[in-house]
Amino acid sequence: MCPSILNADRNNLFSEIDRVVSSSDLLHLDVMDNIFVPNFTFSFEESVAIIEASALAVDAHLMIINPDEKAADYARAGASSVTFHFEASSDPHKTIEKIRSAGARAAIAVKPSTPFYLLQELLPDLDMVLIMTVEPGFGGQSFMTEMIPKVESARLALKEIDRDIWLQVDGGISVETIATAAAAGADAFVAGSAVYKAPSPAQMLETLRKLATENSAV
Ligand code: DX5
Ligand code: ZN
């Protein structure tokens, strides 16, 4: 489980992170530049401060233009996984390589309108694929059920590759949707509002994890 702090209380970010440490695998950090998506979240300096202070390893999701220039900086800053968008990259092979040589897992994300097959030749180089289940930019949107066939095709394609590549879904993950995503083949789950709107974020994460495990197709 990867809680997203996008909609957590910004004024108390570090205590918000503390609330999820015991029940999470990775902290999902949504970096938005107000160009690739119409929203701005954290500057590079703010991201570094979060990476350095977080007791959880950080899964940086870069919704920015020019990731080919900037993605490896997040890896060098200590993020454990760095995800960039296929749509924003002109040399994804090289960017994957740069992230990995800086010591992080490399992942690529696709927006809802980007077909999965475009990633096919990149798969052997990747550590994770992120299928967006909402339009990137904002938390609190509804899960796009029409992305389920894309998750299923991704899982089929990943089965052909002799490497443990995680399949992450991000957007609208909640108690209502996580089972469907898990049954389609996802094995890494980002949840923002479902977690931070719950009275107990830690308990919500445990509930989500249980639903994902019980319905897992992997
Ligand atoms: C959206 C972000 C998500 C977002 C998820 O662009 O990538 O990580 O925080 O939030 P929820 O779970 O509320 O859809
Ligand atoms: Zn995200």
Side-chain angles (χ1 to χ4, degrees):
M1 291 301 312
C2 319
S4 160
I5 49 171
L6 182 60
N7 283 358
D9 176 1
R10 284 294 173 86
N11 298 322
N12 294 295
L13 211 45
F14 295 109
S15 63
E16 290 284 76
I17 296 173
D18 287 343
R19 295 170 83 195
V20 297
V21 170
S22 61
S23 38
S24 307
D25 304 295
L26 293 168
L27 185 76
H28 187 83
L29 180 67
D30 287 303
V31 179
M32 304 186 189
D33 64 357
N34 205 19
I35 305 173
F36 182 70
V37 287
N39 193 5
F40 184 86
T41 54
F42 305 107
S43 66
F44 179 67
E45 292 70 24
E46 287 167 324
S47 303
V48 173
I50 295 168
I51 293 167
E52 287 177 353
S54 170
L56 280 168
V58 168
D59 167 32
H61 175 194
L62 307 182
M63 287 160 273
I64 60 172
I65 59 163
N66 298 327
D68 302 330
E69 313 275 298
K70 299 177 186 155
D73 291 342
Y74 291 82
R76 278 189 285 273
S80 105
S81 175
V82 179
T83 303
F84 63 98
H85 269 265
F86 177 77
E87 303 84 2
S89 171
S90 42
D91 196 348
H93 273 295
K94 198 162 176 198
T95 302
I96 291 166
E97 191 202 301
K98 286 204 257 178
I99 294 170
R100 296 187 76 192
S101 30
R105 293 172 61 93
I108 199 154
V110 277
K111 294 208 246 187
S113 58
T114 304
F116 175 76
Y117 74 84
L118 295 175
L119 301 186
Q120 189 68 45
E121 52 125 14
L122 297 167
L123 297 181
D125 293 347
L126 286 166
D127 296 299
M128 183 170 83
V129 170
L130 165 54
I131 307 277
M132 291 302 299
T133 45
V134 297
E135 265 326 313
F138 299 92
Q141 303 179 74
S142 299
F143 181 82
M144 296 170 71
T145 318
E146 61 271 36
M147 291 300 115
I148 288 297
K150 196 172 177 179
V151 177
E152 288 168 343
S153 335
R155 175 50 64 196
L156 276 179
L158 293 180
K159 274 189 183 149
E160 299 303 313
I161 294 167
D162 187 22
R163 213 168 116 73
D164 182 23
I165 305 170
W166 299 347
L167 181 55
Q168 189 178 55
V169 280
D170 181 7
I173 296 296
S174 69
V175 287
E176 278 90 37
T177 58
I178 197 165
T180 317
D187 60 1
F189 305 87
V190 177
S193 33
V195 169
Y196 279 105
K197 278 194 181 148
S200 164
Q203 217 172 328
M204 176 53 75
L205 283 158
E206 293 302 344
T207 305
L208 291 169
R209 183 191 298 279
K210 189 161 178 278
L211 284 166
T213 311
E214 285 169 359
N215 291 280
S216 174
V218 197

